[in-house]
Amino acid sequence: FKHLRSMLLVIGVGLLFVISNNQSVLAEGKSVNEDFIDPKVDEVNTKLLELDEKLHELFGEKATISSLGYMTVDEKGIIQVNLKNNFKETAKAIYSSENESNEMIEWMKSQGIVVNNTAKYSSDELTNISDRVMADITSYYNFDLPKDFTLAVEPDVEKQIIRLKYDFSDKSAPENDLLKQLEIKYSNILVTEDTKYENVEFTKSKNGDWNNLGGGLAISSSPSGPRCTTTALLHKNSNYFLLTAGHCFEGAVSTTAGAYQYQYSKIVGRQHSTGLWNNIDAGIIRFEGNNLAGGRYATNGVKIAPGSGTIEDFDNTFVNWSEPPSVVYLESICKSGVSTDKTCGGVKSGTSNVIIKGQVVKVFRSDLYAVGGDSGGPVYKPSTSGNVLVGLVTGGGLENGKNVSFITKVL
């Protein structure tokens, strides 16, 4: 860059696409005060990190609660872990470890974590079943999905079921036949719901011309076109990039000659890579020659609050993490978008498969509010010491009159 301020998000080695190949994302944060931070959020995040560390100590670095059961965080910040009813056998089968099971349970209880072991399925098992349901759906349509209906396949860990929510504009014979086949095949776990979706938006919105670039700013395929929101800045080696939603791209996507993307009226780079081919709604914009037009600066900041003045000031930064952060059912998360600024809500599902406008994408669901223009906006765990990036906005609207947003997770 012509100028470089602070530390940027870093893409790990391997493919450039940080979302799709399980590479680490790193950022150096600084202490920045953000309005409306609940002290409980910081406390819960700390306890979740300690839980991960203990789990790795006893069962190895790849151990996760999602493989052994599921975890929730209630409105009071109380962490609840429900292990599988055959928890010890599962731990032995997956991690070749059984003796540490009692120690793990006693440690969690000593930390004030509510522990049960009544789960039939772990979060990972429910996610795998959800994937199989979606594979059956795409196969039914011979991988040419209709663009006139919305459908979501979501694990419900507390109910220990898979929910198939659908909104068919025309309940024709093929859709009825599909539902019958799925209900028969997954009769012991699948629940189908005729759901009314409204305004599940993939359109974009507007914002101002910034000299400092970071997350939460407007991005567009043309100077006067509809806008999306930037997630964050990235870099690998000496190359620099912007991350946003993959569906925001228009025109060619290429490592050498992709279509231009603009921040307001200035070109910031070319459409370099997208994860839509792998059902990941994220896209990377590469800066040409590592230069920012007009003397712009690259930062690890994130713009959250609305503003109408001329002073450019980010509200927070993204903090370091060497491994993808966990996202827990009912945990509080927030997003920043150019249309609706900061909104917060709870995590309402594990990894889900959603069909919108003929495209399958992997997401998790939240009840935070998001509309057109917020696509690509950073989704994070809020903290006064720097936000923890967990994903980006894929879509949002109403589901039976209630807020729904689909979030692509940072892996």
Side-chain angles (χ1 to χ4, degrees), residues 4 8 28 119 147 169 178 211 248 298 308 317 327 338 409-410:
L4 182 63
L8 307 179
E28 182 177 357
K147 293 180 170 56
S169 58
L178 168 63
N211 288 321
C248 295
S308 58
T317 58
V327 181
V338 299
K409 191 175 186 299
V410 174

Side-chain angles (χ1 to χ4, degrees), residues 382-400:
S383 173
T384 54
S385 58
N387 291 330
V388 180
L389 182 68
V390 298
L392 59 89
V393 175
T394 282
L398 296 177
E399 177 187 273
N400 290 337

Side-chain angles (χ1 to χ4, degrees), residues 29 37 40 49 342 357 400:
I37 294 293
K40 292 180 183 176
L49 288 173
K342 177 182 178 179
K357 297 187 176 180
N400 290 337

Side-chain angles (χ1 to χ4, degrees), residues 292-307:
L292 290 175
R296 286 177 161 182
Y297 293 90
T299 80
N300 70 335
V302 54
K303 181 62 180 172
I304 298 169

Side-chain angles (χ1 to χ4, degrees), residues 36-249:
F36 312 118
I37 294 293
D38 187 341
K40 292 180 183 176
V41 174
D42 279 336
E43 182 180 342
V44 169
N45 286 341
T46 299
K47 190 169 290 187
L48 289 174
L49 288 173
E50 292 172 350
L51 176 57
D52 278 342
E53 291 174 359
K54 189 64 177 180
L55 195 66
H56 295 162
E57 174 190 328
L58 294 177
F59 296 102
E61 290 299 317
K62 295 183 178 180
T64 61
I65 290 293
S66 62
S67 66
L68 302 171
Y70 66 87
M71 180 163 51
T72 66
V73 180
D74 67 17
E75 294 180 353
K76 296 180 180 180
I78 297 174
I79 300 172
Q80 302 182 50
V81 174
N82 195 354
L83 301 168
K84 288 188 64 176
N85 46 28
N86 60 344
F87 164 57
K88 292 183 180 181
E89 292 83 353
T90 301
K92 183 176 180 180
I94 299 176
Y95 304 118
S96 300
S97 180
E98 181 179 9
N99 297 330
E100 291 81 359
S101 300
N102 289 333
E103 183 179 347
M104 186 70 210
I105 291 174
E106 291 305 315
W107 181 87
M108 288 190 289
K109 290 180 177 178
S110 72
Q111 301 300 307
I113 298 172
V114 178
V115 182
N116 294 294
N117 63 321
T118 60
K120 181 178 179 180
Y121 301 100
S122 69
S123 292
D124 289 352
E125 288 170 333
L126 286 170
T127 297
N128 290 336
I129 297 171
S130 173
D131 289 345
R132 294 203 299 271
V133 173
M134 184 57 74
D136 287 344
I137 294 170
T138 56
S139 177
Y140 179 87
Y141 288 102
N142 198 25
F143 303 97
D144 185 16
L145 294 166
K147 293 180 170 56
D148 60 349
F149 70 69
T150 299
L151 183 149
V153 183
E154 302 172 344
D156 185 330
V157 293
E158 287 194 305
K159 299 292 186 181
Q160 293 280 280
I161 59 174
I162 303 295
R163 296 188 186 277
L164 191 158
K165 300 180 179 182
Y166 62 91
D167 182 6
F168 298 144
S169 58
D170 178 17
K171 295 178 182 177
S172 60
E175 276 68 49
N176 285 330
D177 180 59
L178 168 63
L179 290 176
K180 289 178 181 178
Q181 289 186 29
L182 293 173
E183 287 170 347
I184 292 172
K185 184 173 182 179
Y186 300 97
S187 59
N188 64 328
I189 194 171
L190 184 68
V191 175
T192 59
E193 300 177 10
D194 188 349
T195 300
K196 180 62 178 175
Y197 287 98
E198 299 175 4
N199 302 322
V200 177
E201 295 283 356
F202 284 83
T203 56
K204 309 156 194 175
S205 184
K206 298 178 181 179
N207 210 322
D209 185 2
W210 279 66
N211 288 321
N212 300 284
L213 295 183
L217 304 180
I219 198 78
S220 176
S221 295
S222 65
S224 59
R227 306 295 170 97
C228 278
T229 304
T230 58
T231 311
L233 271 80
L234 318 171
H235 77 75
K236 177 184 177 182
N237 300 327
S238 59
N239 299 309
Y240 296 86
F241 311 85
L242 270 172
L243 177 65
T244 188
H247 73 257
C248 295
F249 283 3

